Amino acid sequence: GIVSLISLAVLSYERYCTMTGTTEADTTNYRKTWAGIVLSWTYSLVWTAPPLFGWSSYGPEGPGTTCSVNWHSKDANNASYIICLFIFCLVIPFVIIVCSYGKLLCAIRRVGSINNRMGRAREQRVLILVVVMVICFLLCWLPYAAVALIATFGKPGLITPAASIIPSILAKSSTVYNPIIYIFLNKQVSNAL
């Protein structure tokens, strides 16, 4: 899940850099692509490994069918990890996504004012992509984060195993939605297919 979140942030930043860059994209150079992949996986590993070394722990989630961070432990060790995970693996990627796509939209608006008709069509396509990406990101991860924070800091037993199933499924299914969004809302990808 964290690889998915970080990959979305890296992709949004890369898309911003590619669309606003002054040079033409080099489709034969994969250095930036590999750097993004390595960054996503390394960052994710840094934030998923601590429970293996004693900072929080992993355990059954919901009805016991999946494994996740132990959201129900109330000790300071676990709470500090949950807060860091929330900030560094949800809030920061979300801010990167919103800033990157926001700056991209501003850049497209500036270009669109020069060439009105073609610029507006492109601006609308990118705006739709941005809105759909942000909404899907929030729909997939915000319920899971809310349940995790409530389970960690709320009254014991407030989140039942049954209540945690849907947010967990939404979060884990986000990896399925993102490629679909890119395929159907990205004109270059749709044309290539």
Side-chain angles (χ1 to χ4, degrees), residues 103-131:
K103 288 180 180 183
L104 179 60
L105 279 173
C106 289
I108 289 173
R109 271 212 172 116
R110 282 193 302 270
V111 172
S113 64
I114 296 168
N115 186 350
N116 245 355
R117 195 175 54 150
M118 198 165 100
R120 284 196 198 278
R122 185 174 191 179
E123 182 180 331
Q124 287 175 342
R125 279 195 315 273
V126 173
L127 179 61
I128 290 169
L129 176 71
V130 169
V131 169

Side-chain angles (χ1 to χ4, degrees), residues 9-185:
V10 169
L11 280 171
S12 66
Y13 179 74
E14 176 58 30
R15 187 174 182 102
Y16 164 72
C17 291
T18 300
M19 298 285 283
T20 60
T22 56
T23 59
E24 184 126 349
D26 181 9
T27 57
T28 61
N29 186 353
Y30 296 105
R31 190 172 329 139
K32 282 174 65 175
T33 303
W34 280 108
I37 292 168
V38 169
L39 173 73
S40 296
W41 281 88
T42 303
Y43 189 87
S44 300
L45 182 63
V46 164
W47 285 107
T48 55
L52 300 175
F53 300 105
W55 189 20
S56 188
S57 63
Y58 288 114
E61 178 182 52
T65 56
T66 59
C67 181
S68 184
V69 175
N70 182 0
W71 306 115
H72 300 288
S73 176
K74 302 286 184 189
D75 65 350
N77 180 22
N78 189 58
S80 64
Y81 179 70
I82 300 300
I83 291 169
C84 286
L85 206 58
F86 182 77
I87 292 169
F88 291 100
C89 296
L90 182 69
V91 174
I92 290 176
F94 181 69
V95 168
I96 291 170
I97 290 168
V98 170
C99 288
S100 296
Y101 283 136
K103 288 180 180 183
L104 179 60
L105 279 173
C106 289
I108 289 173
R109 271 212 172 116
R110 282 193 302 270
V111 172
S113 64
I114 296 168
N115 186 350
N116 245 355
R117 195 175 54 150
M118 198 165 100
R120 284 196 198 278
R122 185 174 191 179
E123 182 180 331
Q124 287 175 342
R125 279 195 315 273
V126 173
L127 179 61
I128 290 169
L129 176 71
V130 169
V131 169
V132 170
M133 290 295 294
V134 170
I135 288 172
C136 282
F137 182 93
L138 289 175
L139 285 175
C140 289
W141 288 102
L142 211 49
Y144 189 72
V147 165
L149 291 174
I150 291 169
T152 302
F153 299 106
K155 278 196 272 182
L158 189 60
I159 301 294
T160 64
S164 66
I165 291 173
I166 292 175
S168 177
I169 290 171
L170 277 174
K172 289 171 173 70
S173 67
S174 70
T175 56
V176 174
Y177 305 135
N178 296 322
I180 293 169
I181 293 168
Y182 272 104
I183 290 170
F184 288 111
L185 294 180

